[in-house]
Amino acid sequence: MGDLDRLVPSGIIEQWVYHLRRQRSRASDAIWLIDQGFTLHDGQDGIPQQDATARWRAEQETVVEEVTALLALYDKINLGKADME
């Protein structure tokens, strides 16, 4: 199957980028809260079973890294500096 050229309206792209920035911001806020001493616990019926803070922080760090990379690619494409092959 060959390459397909599909045009996506710029408004849709901007919505995606806006969503990515919000996602990164929320993940950064979660990391900040954890660093300030907040904890998260897995549980059932309101009863904590185990501390999930380290796992949750690692997941949020991954979100920040991946979204930052996507936004960098977006910026490179807009500046005409991305390798599109």
Side-chain angles (χ1 to χ4, degrees):
M1 188 183 282
D3 290 334
L4 298 174
D5 287 334
R6 295 185 182 170
L7 298 176
V8 178
S10 63
I12 292 174
I13 299 295
E14 289 302 319
Q15 287 177 357
W16 290 340
V17 170
Y18 176 75
H19 172 72
L20 287 172
R21 287 187 176 125
R22 277 188 19 210
Q23 184 178 3
R24 182 177 62 181
S25 178
R26 288 177 181 152
S28 294
D29 289 348
I31 292 169
W32 183 85
L33 286 170
I34 291 168
D35 289 347
Q36 300 308 308
F38 286 79
T39 59
L40 293 114
H41 292 82
D42 288 330
Q44 188 171 8
D45 297 324
I47 301 170
Q49 302 294 317
Q50 62 183 0
D51 188 349
T53 306
R55 177 179 51 88
W56 181 254
R57 189 179 197 293
E59 289 172 3
Q60 299 312 302
E61 287 174 347
T62 300
V63 168
V64 170
E65 290 170 11
E66 291 176 354
V67 170
T68 298
L70 286 170
L71 291 172
L73 177 60
Y74 170 78
D75 290 339
K76 285 181 184 178
I77 290 169
N78 280 337
L79 296 173
K81 296 181 180 179
D83 182 16
M84 298 302 293
E85 293 187 37

Short mmCIF file of all heavy atoms in Angstrom, two decimals, residues 3-62:
data_model
loop_
_atom_site.label_atom_id
_atom_site.label_comp_id
_atom_site.label_asym_id
_atom_site.label_seq_id
_atom_site.Cartn_x
_atom_site.Cartn_y
_atom_site.Cartn_z
N ASP A 3 1.79 5.50 -0.01
CA ASP A 3 1.48 6.62 0.87
C ASP A 3 0.22 7.32 0.39
O ASP A 3 0.01 7.51 -0.81
CB ASP A 3 2.63 7.63 0.87
CG ASP A 3 3.86 7.09 1.58
OD1 ASP A 3 3.69 6.22 2.46
OD2 ASP A 3 4.97 7.54 1.26
N LEU A 4 -0.60 7.71 1.32
CA LEU A 4 -1.80 8.44 1.01
C LEU A 4 -1.66 9.87 1.52
O LEU A 4 -1.26 10.08 2.66
CB LEU A 4 -3.03 7.80 1.68
CG LEU A 4 -3.36 6.37 1.25
CD1 LEU A 4 -4.51 5.84 2.11
CD2 LEU A 4 -3.76 6.34 -0.20
N ASP A 5 -1.95 10.81 0.67
CA ASP A 5 -1.96 12.20 1.10
C ASP A 5 -3.37 12.54 1.53
O ASP A 5 -4.30 12.47 0.74
CB ASP A 5 -1.51 13.13 -0.02
CG ASP A 5 -0.03 13.05 -0.30
OD1 ASP A 5 0.70 12.69 0.63
OD2 ASP A 5 0.37 13.35 -1.43
N ARG A 6 -3.50 12.87 2.79
CA ARG A 6 -4.80 13.27 3.32
C ARG A 6 -4.65 14.63 3.96
O ARG A 6 -3.76 14.84 4.77
CB ARG A 6 -5.31 12.27 4.36
CG ARG A 6 -5.57 10.92 3.78
CD ARG A 6 -6.18 10.04 4.82
NE ARG A 6 -6.38 8.71 4.24
CZ ARG A 6 -6.71 7.66 4.93
NH1 ARG A 6 -6.89 7.74 6.22
NH2 ARG A 6 -6.87 6.49 4.35
N LEU A 7 -5.53 15.50 3.59
CA LEU A 7 -5.49 16.83 4.17
C LEU A 7 -6.43 16.88 5.36
O LEU A 7 -7.59 16.52 5.26
CB LEU A 7 -5.88 17.88 3.14
CG LEU A 7 -4.96 17.96 1.92
CD1 LEU A 7 -5.51 18.98 0.93
CD2 LEU A 7 -3.56 18.35 2.35
N VAL A 8 -5.90 17.31 6.46
CA VAL A 8 -6.70 17.49 7.67
C VAL A 8 -6.84 19.00 7.87
O VAL A 8 -5.84 19.71 7.88
CB VAL A 8 -6.03 16.85 8.89
CG1 VAL A 8 -6.84 17.08 10.15
CG2 VAL A 8 -5.79 15.36 8.65
N PRO A 9 -8.06 19.47 8.03
CA PRO A 9 -8.24 20.92 8.21
C PRO A 9 -7.43 21.43 9.40
O PRO A 9 -7.31 20.77 10.44
CB PRO A 9 -9.74 21.06 8.48
CG PRO A 9 -10.36 19.84 7.87
CD PRO A 9 -9.33 18.75 8.01
N SER A 10 -6.88 22.62 9.24
CA SER A 10 -6.02 23.18 10.28
C SER A 10 -6.76 23.36 11.59
O SER A 10 -6.16 23.24 12.66
CB SER A 10 -5.42 24.51 9.82
OG SER A 10 -6.47 25.46 9.61
N GLY A 11 -8.06 23.61 11.55
CA GLY A 11 -8.83 23.76 12.77
C GLY A 11 -8.83 22.49 13.60
O GLY A 11 -8.76 22.54 14.83
N ILE A 12 -8.89 21.35 12.95
CA ILE A 12 -8.86 20.07 13.65
C ILE A 12 -7.48 19.84 14.26
O ILE A 12 -7.36 19.41 15.41
CB ILE A 12 -9.26 18.91 12.72
CG1 ILE A 12 -10.74 19.04 12.36
CG2 ILE A 12 -8.98 17.56 13.36
CD1 ILE A 12 -11.23 18.05 11.34
N ILE A 13 -6.45 20.16 13.51
CA ILE A 13 -5.08 20.03 14.03
C ILE A 13 -4.92 20.91 15.26
O ILE A 13 -4.35 20.47 16.28
CB ILE A 13 -4.04 20.41 12.96
CG1 ILE A 13 -4.14 19.50 11.73
CG2 ILE A 13 -2.63 20.40 13.55
CD1 ILE A 13 -3.82 18.06 11.99
N GLU A 14 -5.41 22.13 15.20
CA GLU A 14 -5.30 23.04 16.35
C GLU A 14 -6.06 22.49 17.56
O GLU A 14 -5.60 22.62 18.69
CB GLU A 14 -5.80 24.43 15.98
CG GLU A 14 -4.88 25.17 15.04
CD GLU A 14 -3.47 25.34 15.58
OE1 GLU A 14 -3.31 25.62 16.79
OE2 GLU A 14 -2.52 25.18 14.79
N GLN A 15 -7.20 21.83 17.34
CA GLN A 15 -7.93 21.22 18.44
C GLN A 15 -7.11 20.10 19.07
O GLN A 15 -7.07 19.96 20.30
CB GLN A 15 -9.27 20.67 17.97
CG GLN A 15 -10.29 21.73 17.67
CD GLN A 15 -11.58 21.13 17.13
OE1 GLN A 15 -11.71 19.94 16.93
NE2 GLN A 15 -12.55 22.00 16.89
N TRP A 16 -6.46 19.28 18.24
CA TRP A 16 -5.62 18.21 18.76
C TRP A 16 -4.48 18.78 19.59
O TRP A 16 -4.17 18.28 20.67
CB TRP A 16 -5.06 17.36 17.62
CG TRP A 16 -6.06 16.52 16.90
CD1 TRP A 16 -7.29 16.13 17.35
CD2 TRP A 16 -5.92 15.95 15.61
NE1 TRP A 16 -7.91 15.36 16.40
CE2 TRP A 16 -7.10 15.23 15.32
CE3 TRP A 16 -4.92 15.98 14.65
CZ2 TRP A 16 -7.30 14.54 14.13
CZ3 TRP A 16 -5.12 15.30 13.47
CH2 TRP A 16 -6.29 14.59 13.22
N VAL A 17 -3.84 19.81 19.06
CA VAL A 17 -2.71 20.41 19.77
C VAL A 17 -3.18 21.03 21.09
O VAL A 17 -2.51 20.88 22.12
CB VAL A 17 -2.00 21.45 18.87
CG1 VAL A 17 -1.00 22.27 19.66
CG2 VAL A 17 -1.33 20.75 17.69
N TYR A 18 -4.33 21.68 21.07
CA TYR A 18 -4.88 22.25 22.30
C TYR A 18 -5.13 21.15 23.33
O TYR A 18 -4.78 21.29 24.50
CB TYR A 18 -6.19 23.00 21.98
CG TYR A 18 -6.89 23.55 23.19
CD1 TYR A 18 -6.42 24.69 23.83
CD2 TYR A 18 -8.03 22.93 23.69
CE1 TYR A 18 -7.06 25.20 24.95
CE2 TYR A 18 -8.67 23.44 24.80
CZ TYR A 18 -8.19 24.57 25.42
OH TYR A 18 -8.83 25.07 26.53
N HIS A 19 -5.70 20.04 22.87
CA HIS A 19 -5.96 18.91 23.76
C HIS A 19 -4.64 18.35 24.32
O HIS A 19 -4.55 18.05 25.51
CB HIS A 19 -6.71 17.81 23.02
CG HIS A 19 -6.85 16.54 23.81
ND1 HIS A 19 -7.69 16.43 24.89
CD2 HIS A 19 -6.21 15.36 23.70
CE1 HIS A 19 -7.58 15.22 25.40
NE2 HIS A 19 -6.69 14.55 24.69
N LEU A 20 -3.63 18.22 23.47
CA LEU A 20 -2.34 17.71 23.94
C LEU A 20 -1.73 18.63 24.99
O LEU A 20 -1.21 18.16 26.00
CB LEU A 20 -1.37 17.56 22.76
CG LEU A 20 -1.64 16.40 21.82
CD1 LEU A 20 -0.72 16.49 20.60
CD2 LEU A 20 -1.44 15.07 22.54
N ARG A 21 -1.82 19.92 24.77
CA ARG A 21 -1.26 20.87 25.75
C ARG A 21 -2.01 20.77 27.08
O ARG A 21 -1.40 20.83 28.15
CB ARG A 21 -1.31 22.29 25.20
CG ARG A 21 -0.28 22.51 24.12
CD ARG A 21 -0.21 23.96 23.68
NE ARG A 21 0.86 24.12 22.71
CZ ARG A 21 0.70 24.65 21.50
NH1 ARG A 21 -0.48 25.08 21.12
NH2 ARG A 21 1.72 24.73 20.69
N ARG A 22 -3.34 20.63 27.03
CA ARG A 22 -4.12 20.47 28.26
C ARG A 22 -3.76 19.18 28.97
O ARG A 22 -3.65 19.14 30.20
CB ARG A 22 -5.62 20.49 27.94
CG ARG A 22 -6.16 21.87 27.81
CD ARG A 22 -7.67 21.96 27.68
NE ARG A 22 -8.39 20.80 28.11
CZ ARG A 22 -9.56 20.42 27.61
NH1 ARG A 22 -10.11 21.12 26.65
NH2 ARG A 22 -10.18 19.36 28.06
N GLN A 23 -3.57 18.12 28.19
CA GLN A 23 -3.21 16.82 28.78
C GLN A 23 -1.85 16.93 29.48
O GLN A 23 -1.68 16.44 30.59
CB GLN A 23 -3.17 15.76 27.68
CG GLN A 23 -2.90 14.38 28.17
CD GLN A 23 -2.93 13.35 27.04
OE1 GLN A 23 -3.09 13.69 25.87
NE2 GLN A 23 -2.76 12.10 27.39
N ARG A 24 -0.90 17.58 28.83
CA ARG A 24 0.42 17.76 29.44
C ARG A 24 0.33 18.61 30.70
O ARG A 24 0.98 18.33 31.71
CB ARG A 24 1.39 18.37 28.43
CG ARG A 24 2.80 18.53 28.99
CD ARG A 24 3.77 19.06 28.00
NE ARG A 24 3.38 20.40 27.55
CZ ARG A 24 4.05 21.11 26.67
NH1 ARG A 24 5.13 20.62 26.11
NH2 ARG A 24 3.65 22.30 26.31
N SER A 25 -0.47 19.65 30.65
CA SER A 25 -0.65 20.52 31.81
C SER A 25 -1.25 19.76 32.99
O SER A 25 -0.79 19.89 34.13
CB SER A 25 -1.53 21.71 31.44
OG SER A 25 -1.75 22.53 32.56
N ARG A 26 -2.26 18.94 32.73
CA ARG A 26 -2.87 18.15 33.79
C ARG A 26 -1.88 17.14 34.38
O ARG A 26 -1.84 16.93 35.60
CB ARG A 26 -4.10 17.43 33.26
CG ARG A 26 -5.25 18.36 33.01
CD ARG A 26 -6.42 17.62 32.41
NE ARG A 26 -7.52 18.54 32.15
CZ ARG A 26 -8.42 18.37 31.21
NH1 ARG A 26 -8.37 17.31 30.44
NH2 ARG A 26 -9.37 19.26 31.05
N ALA A 27 -1.09 16.52 33.52
CA ALA A 27 -0.09 15.57 34.00
C ALA A 27 0.96 16.28 34.85
O ALA A 27 1.37 15.79 35.90
CB ALA A 27 0.56 14.83 32.83
N SER A 28 1.38 17.46 34.41
CA SER A 28 2.36 18.24 35.18
C SER A 28 1.78 18.65 36.53
O SER A 28 2.48 18.62 37.55
CB SER A 28 2.78 19.49 34.40
OG SER A 28 3.48 19.13 33.24
N ASP A 29 0.50 19.03 36.53
CA ASP A 29 -0.15 19.38 37.80
C ASP A 29 -0.21 18.18 38.74
O ASP A 29 0.02 18.32 39.95
CB ASP A 29 -1.56 19.90 37.55
CG ASP A 29 -1.59 21.28 36.91
OD1 ASP A 29 -0.52 21.94 36.84
OD2 ASP A 29 -2.68 21.70 36.46
N ALA A 30 -0.50 17.00 38.20
CA ALA A 30 -0.55 15.79 39.03
C ALA A 30 0.82 15.49 39.63
O ALA A 30 0.93 15.15 40.82
CB ALA A 30 -1.05 14.60 38.22
N ILE A 31 1.87 15.65 38.84
CA ILE A 31 3.23 15.43 39.34
C ILE A 31 3.53 16.44 40.45
O ILE A 31 4.09 16.08 41.49
CB ILE A 31 4.26 15.54 38.19
CG1 ILE A 31 4.09 14.36 37.22
CG2 ILE A 31 5.68 15.61 38.72
CD1 ILE A 31 4.85 14.51 35.92
N TRP A 32 3.16 17.70 40.24
CA TRP A 32 3.39 18.72 41.25
C TRP A 32 2.68 18.37 42.56
O TRP A 32 3.26 18.49 43.63
CB TRP A 32 2.93 20.08 40.73
CG TRP A 32 3.21 21.19 41.70
CD1 TRP A 32 4.38 21.89 41.84
CD2 TRP A 32 2.31 21.71 42.68
NE1 TRP A 32 4.25 22.82 42.84
CE2 TRP A 32 3.00 22.74 43.38
CE3 TRP A 32 1.00 21.43 43.04
CZ2 TRP A 32 2.41 23.46 44.41
CZ3 TRP A 32 0.42 22.15 44.07
CH2 TRP A 32 1.11 23.16 44.74
N LEU A 33 1.41 17.95 42.46
CA LEU A 33 0.66 17.58 43.66
C LEU A 33 1.34 16.43 44.41
O LEU A 33 1.46 16.46 45.65
CB LEU A 33 -0.77 17.19 43.30
CG LEU A 33 -1.70 18.35 42.93
CD1 LEU A 33 -3.01 17.81 42.36
CD2 LEU A 33 -1.95 19.24 44.13
N ILE A 34 1.80 15.43 43.67
CA ILE A 34 2.49 14.31 44.30
C ILE A 34 3.77 14.78 44.98
O ILE A 34 4.08 14.38 46.11
CB ILE A 34 2.77 13.19 43.27
CG1 ILE A 34 1.44 12.53 42.85
CG2 ILE A 34 3.74 12.16 43.81
CD1 ILE A 34 1.54 11.63 41.64
N ASP A 35 4.50 15.68 44.30
CA ASP A 35 5.73 16.21 44.89
C ASP A 35 5.45 17.04 46.14
O ASP A 35 6.32 17.21 46.99
CB ASP A 35 6.49 17.05 43.86
CG ASP A 35 7.12 16.21 42.76
OD1 ASP A 35 7.18 14.97 42.91
OD2 ASP A 35 7.54 16.80 41.74
N GLN A 36 4.23 17.56 46.28
CA GLN A 36 3.84 18.34 47.45
C GLN A 36 3.32 17.45 48.59
O GLN A 36 2.93 17.95 49.64
CB GLN A 36 2.76 19.37 47.08
CG GLN A 36 3.20 20.36 46.03
CD GLN A 36 4.52 21.03 46.35
OE1 GLN A 36 4.69 21.59 47.43
NE2 GLN A 36 5.46 20.97 45.43
N GLY A 37 3.27 16.13 48.35
CA GLY A 37 2.90 15.22 49.42
C GLY A 37 1.56 14.52 49.25
O GLY A 37 1.17 13.71 50.08
N PHE A 38 0.83 14.85 48.19
CA PHE A 38 -0.44 14.16 47.96
C PHE A 38 -0.17 12.72 47.54
O PHE A 38 0.85 12.42 46.92
CB PHE A 38 -1.26 14.88 46.87
CG PHE A 38 -1.87 16.16 47.35
CD1 PHE A 38 -1.11 17.31 47.43
CD2 PHE A 38 -3.20 16.20 47.71
CE1 PHE A 38 -1.67 18.50 47.88
CE2 PHE A 38 -3.77 17.38 48.16
CZ PHE A 38 -3.00 18.54 48.24
N THR A 39 -1.08 11.82 47.87
CA THR A 39 -0.93 10.41 47.52
C THR A 39 -2.19 9.92 46.82
O THR A 39 -3.26 10.51 46.95
CB THR A 39 -0.68 9.54 48.76
OG1 THR A 39 -1.77 9.70 49.66
CG2 THR A 39 0.63 9.93 49.45
N LEU A 40 -2.03 8.84 46.09
CA LEU A 40 -3.15 8.18 45.42
C LEU A 40 -3.14 6.72 45.85
O LEU A 40 -2.08 6.12 45.97
CB LEU A 40 -2.99 8.26 43.90
CG LEU A 40 -3.10 9.68 43.34
CD1 LEU A 40 -1.79 10.10 42.78
CD2 LEU A 40 -4.20 9.73 42.34
N HIS A 41 -4.32 6.20 46.04
CA HIS A 41 -4.43 4.81 46.48
C HIS A 41 -5.43 4.05 45.62
O HIS A 41 -6.49 4.58 45.29
CB HIS A 41 -4.86 4.72 47.95
CG HIS A 41 -3.83 5.23 48.88
ND1 HIS A 41 -3.66 6.57 49.15
CD2 HIS A 41 -2.87 4.59 49.60
CE1 HIS A 41 -2.67 6.73 49.99
NE2 HIS A 41 -2.16 5.54 50.28
N ASP A 42 -5.06 2.83 45.24
CA ASP A 42 -6.02 1.92 44.63
C ASP A 42 -6.90 1.40 45.75
O ASP A 42 -6.42 1.14 46.86
CB ASP A 42 -5.31 0.75 43.95
CG ASP A 42 -4.59 1.17 42.68
OD1 ASP A 42 -5.04 2.12 42.03
OD2 ASP A 42 -3.58 0.53 42.34
N GLY A 43 -8.17 1.24 45.48
CA GLY A 43 -9.04 0.73 46.52
C GLY A 43 -10.36 0.25 45.97
O GLY A 43 -10.60 0.26 44.77
N GLN A 44 -11.19 -0.15 46.89
CA GLN A 44 -12.51 -0.64 46.52
C GLN A 44 -13.50 -0.19 47.59
O GLN A 44 -13.20 -0.30 48.80
CB GLN A 44 -12.50 -2.17 46.40
CG GLN A 44 -13.77 -2.74 45.84
CD GLN A 44 -13.63 -4.23 45.54
OE1 GLN A 44 -12.64 -4.85 45.89
NE2 GLN A 44 -14.63 -4.77 44.91
N ASP A 45 -14.63 0.32 47.17
CA ASP A 45 -15.66 0.80 48.10
C ASP A 45 -15.11 1.84 49.07
O ASP A 45 -15.47 1.87 50.25
CB ASP A 45 -16.28 -0.37 48.88
CG ASP A 45 -16.98 -1.36 47.98
OD1 ASP A 45 -17.59 -0.92 46.98
OD2 ASP A 45 -16.90 -2.57 48.25
N GLY A 46 -14.22 2.71 48.56
CA GLY A 46 -13.68 3.78 49.39
C GLY A 46 -12.62 3.35 50.37
O GLY A 46 -12.16 4.15 51.19
N ILE A 47 -12.19 2.11 50.31
CA ILE A 47 -11.17 1.60 51.24
C ILE A 47 -9.86 1.44 50.48
O ILE A 47 -9.78 0.64 49.54
CB ILE A 47 -11.60 0.26 51.86
CG1 ILE A 47 -12.92 0.44 52.62
CG2 ILE A 47 -10.51 -0.28 52.77
CD1 ILE A 47 -13.55 -0.85 53.05
N PRO A 48 -8.82 2.20 50.86
CA PRO A 48 -7.54 2.08 50.17
C PRO A 48 -6.94 0.69 50.34
O PRO A 48 -6.93 0.14 51.43
CB PRO A 48 -6.65 3.12 50.84
CG PRO A 48 -7.54 3.96 51.67
CD PRO A 48 -8.79 3.19 51.93
N GLN A 49 -6.48 0.12 49.25
CA GLN A 49 -5.86 -1.20 49.28
C GLN A 49 -4.33 -1.10 49.21
O GLN A 49 -3.63 -1.83 49.89
CB GLN A 49 -6.36 -2.07 48.13
CG GLN A 49 -7.87 -2.27 48.11
CD GLN A 49 -8.37 -3.05 49.31
OE1 GLN A 49 -7.77 -4.04 49.70
NE2 GLN A 49 -9.45 -2.59 49.90
N GLN A 50 -3.86 -0.22 48.32
CA GLN A 50 -2.41 -0.06 48.20
C GLN A 50 -2.09 1.33 47.66
O GLN A 50 -2.90 1.93 46.96
CB GLN A 50 -1.82 -1.13 47.30
CG GLN A 50 -2.32 -1.10 45.87
CD GLN A 50 -1.75 -2.23 45.03
OE1 GLN A 50 -0.98 -3.04 45.52
NE2 GLN A 50 -2.12 -2.27 43.77
N ASP A 51 -0.92 1.81 47.98
CA ASP A 51 -0.48 3.12 47.52
C ASP A 51 -0.12 3.02 46.04
O ASP A 51 0.70 2.20 45.64
CB ASP A 51 0.73 3.57 48.34
CG ASP A 51 1.13 5.00 48.07
OD1 ASP A 51 0.62 5.60 47.10
OD2 ASP A 51 1.95 5.54 48.83
N ALA A 52 -0.74 3.86 45.23
CA ALA A 52 -0.49 3.85 43.79
C ALA A 52 0.25 5.11 43.34
O ALA A 52 0.35 5.39 42.15
CB ALA A 52 -1.80 3.73 43.04
N THR A 53 0.80 5.86 44.29
CA THR A 53 1.40 7.15 43.98
C THR A 53 2.59 7.02 43.02
O THR A 53 2.67 7.76 42.04
CB THR A 53 1.84 7.86 45.28
OG1 THR A 53 0.72 7.92 46.17
CG2 THR A 53 2.34 9.25 45.01
N ALA A 54 3.50 6.12 43.28
CA ALA A 54 4.70 5.98 42.44
C ALA A 54 4.31 5.57 41.01
O ALA A 54 4.84 6.11 40.04
CB ALA A 54 5.66 4.96 43.04
N ARG A 55 3.37 4.64 40.91
CA ARG A 55 2.92 4.21 39.58
C ARG A 55 2.26 5.36 38.84
O ARG A 55 2.54 5.61 37.67
CB ARG A 55 1.94 3.04 39.70
CG ARG A 55 1.37 2.58 38.37
CD ARG A 55 0.41 1.41 38.51
NE ARG A 55 -0.63 1.60 39.51
CZ ARG A 55 -1.81 2.17 39.26
NH1 ARG A 55 -2.09 2.61 38.06
NH2 ARG A 55 -2.71 2.29 40.22
N TRP A 56 1.40 6.09 39.53
CA TRP A 56 0.67 7.20 38.91
C TRP A 56 1.65 8.29 38.48
O TRP A 56 1.53 8.85 37.39
CB TRP A 56 -0.36 7.76 39.90
CG TRP A 56 -1.15 8.88 39.33
CD1 TRP A 56 -1.01 10.20 39.63
CD2 TRP A 56 -2.18 8.80 38.34
NE1 TRP A 56 -1.90 10.94 38.90
CE2 TRP A 56 -2.63 10.11 38.10
CE3 TRP A 56 -2.78 7.76 37.64
CZ2 TRP A 56 -3.65 10.40 37.19
CZ3 TRP A 56 -3.78 8.05 36.75
CH2 TRP A 56 -4.21 9.35 36.53
N ARG A 57 2.66 8.59 39.33
CA ARG A 57 3.64 9.62 38.98
C ARG A 57 4.43 9.21 37.74
O ARG A 57 4.66 10.02 36.85
CB ARG A 57 4.59 9.88 40.15
CG ARG A 57 5.48 11.09 39.92
CD ARG A 57 6.39 11.35 41.10
NE ARG A 57 6.96 12.68 41.09
CZ ARG A 57 7.84 13.13 40.18
NH1 ARG A 57 8.24 12.35 39.20
NH2 ARG A 57 8.30 14.36 40.25
N ALA A 58 4.82 7.95 37.67
CA ALA A 58 5.57 7.46 36.50
C ALA A 58 4.72 7.57 35.23
O ALA A 58 5.23 7.96 34.17
CB ALA A 58 6.02 6.02 36.72
N GLU A 59 3.44 7.25 35.34
CA GLU A 59 2.55 7.36 34.18
C GLU A 59 2.44 8.82 33.72
O GLU A 59 2.45 9.10 32.51
CB GLU A 59 1.17 6.80 34.51
CG GLU A 59 1.15 5.30 34.67
CD GLU A 59 -0.18 4.77 35.19
OE1 GLU A 59 -1.13 5.56 35.39
OE2 GLU A 59 -0.27 3.54 35.41
N GLN A 60 2.33 9.73 34.67
CA GLN A 60 2.21 11.15 34.32
C GLN A 60 3.50 11.69 33.72
O GLN A 60 3.48 12.52 32.80
CB GLN A 60 1.79 11.97 35.54
CG GLN A 60 0.45 11.56 36.12
CD GLN A 60 -0.64 11.44 35.07
OE1 GLN A 60 -0.94 12.38 34.37
NE2 GLN A 60 -1.23 10.26 34.98
N GLU A 61 4.65 11.21 34.20
CA GLU A 61 5.92 11.62 33.60
C GLU A 61 5.99 11.15 32.15
O GLU A 61 6.48 11.88 31.28
CB GLU A 61 7.09 11.04 34.39
CG GLU A 61 7.32 11.72 35.72
CD GLU A 61 8.39 11.05 36.55
OE1 GLU A 61 8.81 9.92 36.21
OE2 GLU A 61 8.82 11.66 37.55
N THR A 62 5.50 9.94 31.88
CA THR A 62 5.48 9.43 30.51
C THR A 62 4.57 10.28 29.63
O THR A 62 4.93 10.60 28.49
CB THR A 62 5.00 7.96 30.49
OG1 THR A 62 5.91 7.18 31.28
CG2 THR A 62 4.95 7.40 29.09
#
